[in-house]
Amino acid sequence: MVGSSCEQREKMAQYTVGVDVGGTKTAYGLFGPDQSLVARAEMPTRLGGTPEQIADAVLDGIRAIMAGHGLALADLEGVGLAFPSYIDYEAGRILCTTNITDLCGFDARDYFQAKLGVRVALDNDCHVAAMAEHRLGAGSGYHHLLFCAVSTGISSAMIINDRLFRGSYGAAGETGHMLITPETGVQCGCGHAGCFMSHISGSMIVQHIRGWLDAGQSSAMLAMAKGDPAAIDCEIVRAAALAGDALAQSALEHMAYYLGVWTYNLYQALNINCYVFGGGLTGLGDLLFGPARAHFDRLNVTQPGQEVHWKFAELGRDAGIIGAQLLLHE
């Protein structure tokens, strides 16, 4: 717990930092007294070592962005942290993360507070992005929304009655790991084959493509990857699909079908009519989301005439750091 001397220091402090820890890069945002974004920085994420060593690398980034603007830790009021992880929000503990497995079981909030001497809040990266888009982005004006992150992995977060819904254990929204074809298909890091993420995400669709190639299907994607199936990524899939490659187009249709089913199921469960999509796969635009919306509309026969809004996130790469900083003001 932060001591009384730290509490006195916080009363004089004016700046906060939002940190979005990703599987490759970590983004840092420095925010001023009016919560405006003063500066942004990115550094590679440390992926190996003890939890403390990984956390210390994040601490180095916090100190660096402060020092870069002539600020010391004494000027810091608090830090919000977003991790691609299952988070016990109340305890401030990282329960599990598939991207940075060494952080599993780490009492992150206590560690960062002890090192910084200021208030620290942490949550799942999708949760904080939802908060940011609801407050300042594409979801402004909606009392309920679903933020759907579609990228290397897929996930969601729920804003209900203008507040983030975390569930009983802090993990509400991990709908990408709901099962749609149980025990069939590509194995996901969640431990199951056949979850939605195993069909939709960027990391998993390339595994499907490699399997189809191994089974004898042909595609220009292999030549575009210089003959190395492991080098096929979503940029190659996009380029090949635009060039008319049948297998690339089939891969996108596979993703679109399951994306439509995923969002339809969420709509049936929650009856929330605003979807905000973020993440790298939004760059596929109508190649993915056009047919996905068509599948959603085709399935949505039980509630015709009730408008459902699909929007793309507006805050871009800053959603994570903005949302992490907003944790300090809940």
Side-chain angles (χ1 to χ4, degrees):
M1 188 170 180
V2 181
S4 59
S5 61
C6 295
E7 292 171 357
Q8 293 172 358
R9 187 178 74 179
E10 286 178 4
K11 292 177 183 178
M12 300 186 298
Q14 300 181 28
Y15 291 86
T16 54
V17 171
V19 183
D20 183 13
V21 181
T24 303
K25 295 179 181 179
T26 297
Y28 301 83
L30 176 65
F31 295 82
D34 60 353
Q35 297 186 46
S36 63
L37 181 59
V38 175
R40 189 187 194 284
E42 277 191 359
M43 299 180 188
T45 299
R46 175 164 181 163
L47 298 178
T50 66
E52 292 78 13
Q53 288 171 328
I54 296 170
D56 286 345
V58 175
L59 288 165
D60 288 342
I62 294 169
R63 296 186 185 103
I65 197 170
M66 296 284 292
H69 286 76
L71 301 171
L73 290 182
D75 300 302
L76 187 62
E77 181 179 350
V79 172
L81 297 160
F83 288 91
S85 314
Y86 285 92
I87 303 288
D88 183 333
Y89 177 74
E90 296 298 329
R93 180 181 302 114
I94 298 172
L95 300 177
C96 181
T97 177
T98 58
N99 291 333
I100 316 170
T101 55
D102 290 320
L103 285 175
C104 295
F106 181 47
D107 289 313
R109 185 179 64 200
D110 289 348
Y111 187 81
F112 279 97
Q113 283 189 166
K115 290 289 185 177
L116 294 170
V118 298
R119 181 179 171 227
V120 172
L122 69 147
D123 206 341
N124 169 269
D125 55 355
C126 196
H127 283 182
V128 305
M131 293 171 61
E133 289 292 339
H134 174 249
R135 183 80 61 86
L136 301 168
S140 297
Y142 290 88
H143 296 299
H144 320 296
L145 74 83
L146 274 163
F147 180 82
C148 298
V150 187
S151 188
T152 304
I154 70 167
S155 186
S156 64
M158 308 161 192
I159 301 290
I160 300 174
N161 293 326
D162 295 312
R163 292 191 61 82
L164 178 69
F165 177 72
R166 292 186 170 92
S168 297
Y169 303 107
E174 289 292 344
T175 59
H177 297 303
M178 294 191 305
L179 298 174
I180 182 64
T181 58
E183 301 174 354
T184 302
V186 173
Q187 182 84 9
C188 176
C190 69
H192 293 286
C195 65
F196 279 107
M197 181 166 156
S198 74
H199 289 289
I200 302 169
S201 70
S203 61
M204 297 295 175
I205 194 59
V206 295
Q207 293 189 43
H208 284 280
I209 290 169
R210 291 165 197 160
W212 296 331
L213 289 170
D214 288 342
Q217 296 193 47
S218 61
S219 171
M221 289 185 286
L222 193 57
M224 295 169 72
K226 301 187 182 341
D228 180 8
I232 295 173
D233 58 18
C234 283
E235 285 301 313
I236 288 177
V237 176
R238 178 181 183 277
L242 288 171
D245 183 82
L247 188 60
Q249 292 174 343
S250 177
L252 288 174
E253 173 54 30
H254 180 98
M255 297 169 72
Y257 172 76
Y258 285 103
L259 179 56
V261 175
W262 177 47
T263 49
Y264 170 75
N265 284 349
L266 294 176
Y267 184 59
Q268 288 299 307
L270 298 167
N271 198 225
I272 291 175
N273 74 339
C274 179
Y275 291 82
V276 176
F277 295 93
L281 292 186
T282 58
L284 292 170
D286 282 343
L287 278 174
L288 175 61
F289 289 89
R293 180 62 198 253
H295 285 301
F296 176 93
D297 290 339
R298 176 179 57 81
L299 294 167
N300 187 30
V301 296
T302 57
Q303 300 175 58
Q306 296 180 354
E307 191 171 8
V308 179
H309 306 276
W310 282 33
K311 297 172 172 287
F312 288 119
E314 296 176 353
L315 300 178
R317 64 178 187 169
D318 289 336
I321 56 176
I322 292 172
Q325 189 264 353
L326 287 175
L327 289 172
L328 299 168
H329 304 282
E330 277 196 289

